[in-house]
Amino acid sequence: MIIDVHGHLTAPAELYAWKAGLLSHRGAHGGKPPAISDDRLREAHFEPHPSFGNVSHFDHIDGAGVDLQLISPRPYQMMHSEQPSKIVRWFTEETNNIIHRSCELFPGRFKGVAGLPQSPDLDPAEWTAELRRTVTELGFVGALLNPDPYEGTQVPPALGDRYWYPVYEALCELDVPALIHAAGCRPPTREPYSLHFIQEETVAVWSLLSSRVLQDFPDLKIIVSHGGGAIPYQVGRFLPSGVRAGGTPYLEKLRRLWFDTCLYTKDSIELLIRVAGVDRCLFGTEKPGTGSQINPETGGWFDDIHLLVNDIDWLTENDREAIFAKNAADLFRL
């Protein structure tokens, strides 16, 4: 059994054409979503796509032996910083509806992970209505949490700030995990969105472990995408400060979080597992996505992460079973 906790929606172009219209008229023409048939939605999952190495979504996950994939919105599409906030809400809600329909069309292959309408013009408590709708009405098993709703245009409160507490309260109430994953990245930032993801996830880990969040919310379940940004690989910089501060050792605090294996080299995955522990690592690929390109050195996909995990020779069969499926099944109550 392989459960991939880090997948994103593959949707027909009509959804994103509608988004372009929302951005053009800024809500003046209303928010009626496009009429996308079940057949059209089904076809999108089997169509080859140039961004996916000219193969389809199902070609990728079937080829990697993924039995169940948790799918969320494509983060860079989420336009959290756009105005007015109603277009952010409309697009988020319809994207979640399309995720739900995809789960219904392919039962047993997908589970939904919600996007939240994280407009900075809304109070975070207002974001949680969509979290509650998707979990209680649509059967979603978690949510994406973008640590930078401004998408690079301003400096947001760090995740240790009380600003985020309404979201943490809702996550604990519903008993679902949050997957930390940044979204778009707009000027004046210097970096592309893919690098912005890693930077924001790095800051997210630092701010959570430097705050009272995990004490105030002992049942909070947080997964950090892309192997935790930079922190697991730079953990040595934080160990001395943990000793100076006294209290809980830094590694013990780090292991209150979970991390996905959405890294594209064996060495990085191996280091993540050594630092975080087998029990804190969840199999994730983002397949199809950034890594969906043929590696000229191997002839395989960069995002064939199952092969990289299998190549770590010191993992036991029980370790692999935990990383590939058991940890996710326990955490998401699958």
Side-chain angles (χ1 to χ4, degrees):
M1 179 73 171
I2 296 181
I3 300 172
D4 181 357
V5 303
H6 188 158
H8 298 306
L9 172 68
T10 293
E14 291 90 329
L15 178 67
Y16 301 111
W18 176 61
K19 173 191 168 181
L22 292 177
L23 289 171
S24 297
H25 60 69
R26 298 289 166 179
H29 297 174
K32 184 179 180 181
I36 299 174
S37 70
D38 284 352
D39 285 345
R40 182 73 191 95
L41 184 53
R42 189 180 291 107
E43 287 168 3
H45 291 82
F46 292 101
E47 290 174 344
H49 196 288
S51 296
F52 301 163
N54 293 311
V55 300
S56 73
H57 192 128
F58 270 108
D59 285 333
H60 271 289
I61 63 173
D62 287 345
V66 172
D67 298 287
L68 174 65
Q69 188 176 53
L70 310 190
I71 55 171
S72 59
R74 294 266 166 199
Y76 77 93
Q77 290 279 5
M78 292 310 292
M79 66 174 189
H80 287 150
S81 62
E82 297 290 350
Q83 294 175 314
S85 60
K86 64 184 178 182
I87 68 171
V88 179
R89 179 169 53 81
W90 291 341
F91 184 69
T92 300
E93 290 171 355
E94 184 56 20
T95 300
N96 287 333
N97 291 338
I98 294 291
I99 289 172
H100 174 61
R101 289 178 57 198
S102 298
C103 295
E104 296 278 292
L105 287 171
F106 302 103
R109 296 306 306 274
F110 296 134
K111 287 284 188 182
V113 172
L116 303 181
Q118 290 188 241
S119 167
D121 293 335
L122 299 175
D123 187 281
E126 296 178 80
W127 307 342
T128 65
E130 182 64 1
L131 174 60
R132 290 186 170 88
R133 180 183 81 95
T134 53
V135 172
T136 63
E137 298 178 22
L138 305 185
F140 282 29
V141 297
L144 286 188
L145 186 62
N146 172 15
D148 177 21
Y150 292 104
E151 298 184 307
T153 61
Q154 295 185 46
V155 178
L159 289 187
D161 194 275
R162 295 190 68 87
Y163 172 85
W164 299 92
Y165 274 35
V167 179
Y168 301 150
E169 289 166 0
L171 290 165
C172 291
E173 172 195 327
L174 296 164
D175 191 23
V176 294
L179 179 67
I180 303 297
H181 198 310
C185 184
R186 298 172 58 187
T189 54
R190 300 167 296 171
E191 72 276 11
Y193 69 80
S194 193
L195 179 57
H196 190 67
F197 294 166
I198 298 166
Q199 293 178 164
E200 284 300 318
E201 289 145 9
T202 302
V203 175
V205 174
W206 169 82
S207 60
L208 287 168
L209 300 191
S210 301
S211 72
R212 286 197 48 83
V213 167
L214 298 179
Q215 293 102 298
D216 291 344
F217 299 94
D219 297 325
L220 184 63
K221 302 173 183 177
I222 296 287
I223 307 157
V224 191
S225 298
H226 310 120
I231 296 292
Y233 320 96
Q234 295 287 340
V235 72
R237 294 194 62 84
F238 301 96
L239 299 180
S241 61
V243 173
R244 290 188 197 103
T248 306
Y250 196 84
L251 275 178
E252 188 175 327
K253 292 194 291 185
L254 183 74
R255 290 169 179 155
R256 281 286 314 280
L257 306 174
W258 285 265
F259 305 89
D260 72 20
T261 63
C262 193
L263 301 158
Y264 300 129
T265 67
K266 171 179 169 286
D267 289 345
S268 58
I269 296 171
E270 187 168 7
L271 182 55
L272 171 66
I273 297 169
R274 289 189 185 278
V275 170
V278 166
D279 61 326
R280 291 285 152 168
C281 294
L282 310 173
F283 184 73
T285 68
E286 203 178 84
K287 220 180 202 322
T290 298
S292 299
Q293 177 65 46
I294 294 294
N295 181 345
E297 293 185 7
T298 66
W301 300 101
F302 280 102
D303 56 11
D304 271 348
I305 291 173
H306 63 298
L307 300 180
L308 301 179
V309 173
N310 281 331
D311 282 344
I312 300 174
D313 56 14
W314 52 267
L315 291 175
T316 68
E317 287 308 305
N318 285 341
D319 290 341
R320 289 191 177 85
E321 181 183 352
I323 292 168
F324 281 134
K326 186 179 184 301
N327 294 342
D330 291 345
L331 189 63
F332 286 95
R333 297 181 291 121
L334 299 173

